[in-house]
Amino acid sequence: MAIYAILRWLNTLNLPEDGTNYITAALNFVKTGRFFIFVNWPSYSGEPLIEPFTEYPPGLPLFLAPFIFIFKEPILATAIAHSVAMLIFYAIVYFFCRALKLNPVMRIFILSALTFFRTFEIIHSKFWSESLFISLSLGVGLVALTLIRTGPKRHLWLLGVLLTFLASSVKFIGVANVAWFVPLIIPWEQLSIATKRSERQLGHWVPPGLTVATAVAVFLFLYFGLTLVHFQNHPAKVVVIILTGITLCTTGILFFLFLNKSDKPSDGQSCSPALANTFGFLAIAISAILPILLWFLRNLLFFRQST
């Protein structure tokens, strides 16, 4: 499937306007160490004008930059880089299916769907950020699934932080990857006990609190996706994403504080699993928000200097 998708891409080399901007930004970064693109408007002479690259996060140009540095030719580098991104995509999907213990028939069906369905055919056939972003996001999910099965492991949390940071660096909506780790901070046994004992105040307030927090997060995602998706540089877009991450963080902290008071570390552990998962979750949330915040501040400085 991966070979077929790569050959389909190499046969077309579809470079939409967004894709050419990524290539230009990466090429200029390799040559000058700065992110910028060239535009002709509003120049009446037709001479190219320099414009800072602010419309998208820098993840894909940074991914492309080493290929341009090695192969020199931008189109050749783009063809190879996108092919590598698709190889990563199919490898992550395969290992994700194995982690879910799906039988071979289901694995073949999923890989076929991600190859021949029209949506993914378009994604893989154009130089967009989606292939790389989905790969990183599924990698984050694979780390979260492994943590659920094995318990808190420092190297897994560090890998999750790195992949989450990279995903948010490729697309702003990478902050949604925080949701993969929400099950790790919910103490299911304590929650069950609390909800069954109706005389305890905790049992009355935690389920509604979770419902409200989830509703707020869903509302923010929907508002972002349906209302602000076309406003590429709109500050409200960044604000909405950051508020969504803060909502998820607050939910996790409240669950830990109220439902893990009696949780003790086991023999040989410096802290309880719940505490380790909470700190890991907060690190994931910060890594999801940080690249967006840094890119927003960088663009803000450019806009202030230009005015």
Side-chain angles (χ1 to χ4, degrees):
M1 299 297 175
I3 294 175
Y4 174 82
I6 291 173
L7 290 177
R8 183 174 58 193
W9 149 249
L10 294 176
N11 185 53
T12 58
L13 281 181
N14 194 329
L15 301 175
E17 182 179 352
D18 293 343
T20 56
N21 283 338
Y22 287 130
I23 297 171
T24 303
L27 181 62
N28 291 332
F29 179 76
V30 171
K31 290 181 176 180
T32 67
R34 295 184 295 118
F35 280 110
F36 63 90
I37 57 177
F38 298 105
V39 293
N40 286 324
W41 182 90
S43 172
Y44 293 101
S45 65
E47 293 295 328
L49 300 177
I50 292 177
E51 179 180 284
F53 181 73
T54 59
E55 190 170 3
Y56 302 107
L60 186 57
L62 286 174
F63 175 77
L64 177 60
F67 293 92
I68 292 180
F69 179 80
I70 294 172
F71 297 102
K72 309 303 180 183
E73 171 57 43
I75 302 301
L76 174 62
T78 302
I80 297 174
H82 195 56
S83 300
V84 171
M86 281 191 281
L87 281 176
I88 297 173
F89 174 87
Y90 281 96
I92 292 293
V93 170
Y94 173 77
F95 286 114
F96 200 91
C97 291
R98 285 193 59 180
L100 293 176
K101 298 182 179 179
L102 299 179
N103 60 58
V105 175
M106 284 299 300
R107 295 178 196 174
I108 294 174
F109 173 78
I110 291 174
L111 290 170
S112 299
L114 297 178
T115 302
F116 299 107
F117 278 12
R118 181 58 179 167
T119 300
F120 289 96
E121 180 181 347
I122 295 174
I123 287 175
H124 294 319
S125 298
K126 296 184 178 182
F127 185 60
W128 283 340
S129 59
E130 275 71 14
S131 294
L132 182 61
F133 173 72
I134 295 173
S135 303
L136 294 170
S137 297
L138 288 177
V140 174
L142 185 58
V143 171
L145 181 60
T146 306
L147 282 167
I148 291 173
R149 290 179 172 173
T150 64
K153 305 288 185 182
R154 182 177 301 177
H155 68 281
L156 289 176
W157 277 114
L158 291 175
L159 180 59
V161 167
L162 175 62
L163 292 176
T164 304
F165 183 89
L166 293 176
S168 291
S169 299
V170 173
K171 291 185 78 70
F172 289 137
I173 56 174
V175 71
N177 283 308
V178 176
W180 288 108
F181 298 91
V182 170
L184 287 162
I185 60 169
I186 299 179
W188 300 103
E189 294 181 2
Q190 290 89 333
L191 179 60
S192 177
I193 294 173
T195 53
K196 288 179 181 178
R197 296 178 180 177
S198 59
E199 68 274 6
R200 292 178 56 187
Q201 186 178 7
L202 186 62
H204 290 292
W205 289 103
V206 170
L210 175 61
T211 303
V212 171
T214 304
V216 171
V218 171
F219 170 77
L220 289 174
F221 276 122
L222 290 177
Y223 181 74
F224 160 70
L226 299 178
T227 308
L228 298 176
V229 68
H230 297 295
F231 296 90
Q232 300 293 343
N233 291 318
H234 202 294
K237 178 188 246 188
V238 178
V239 173
V240 166
I241 293 173
I242 293 175
L243 286 176
T244 304
I246 292 174
T247 301
L248 293 171
C249 291
T250 305
T251 303
I253 293 172
L254 289 176
F255 268 111
F256 172 74
L257 291 178
F258 287 104
L259 297 179
N260 284 284
K261 292 180 180 179
S262 61
D263 195 18
K264 304 252 173 141
S266 59
D267 294 338
Q269 290 184 330
S270 58
C271 63
S272 68
L275 181 60
N277 284 338
T278 300
F279 283 132
F281 181 84
L282 292 177
I284 290 290
I286 292 171
S287 68
I289 298 173
L290 185 60
I292 301 171
L293 183 60
L294 292 176
W295 191 246
F296 176 73
L297 293 176
R298 176 255 190 192
N299 294 345
L300 188 62
L301 290 175
F302 270 120
F303 292 141
R304 285 187 175 179
Q305 291 175 358
S306 62
T307 56

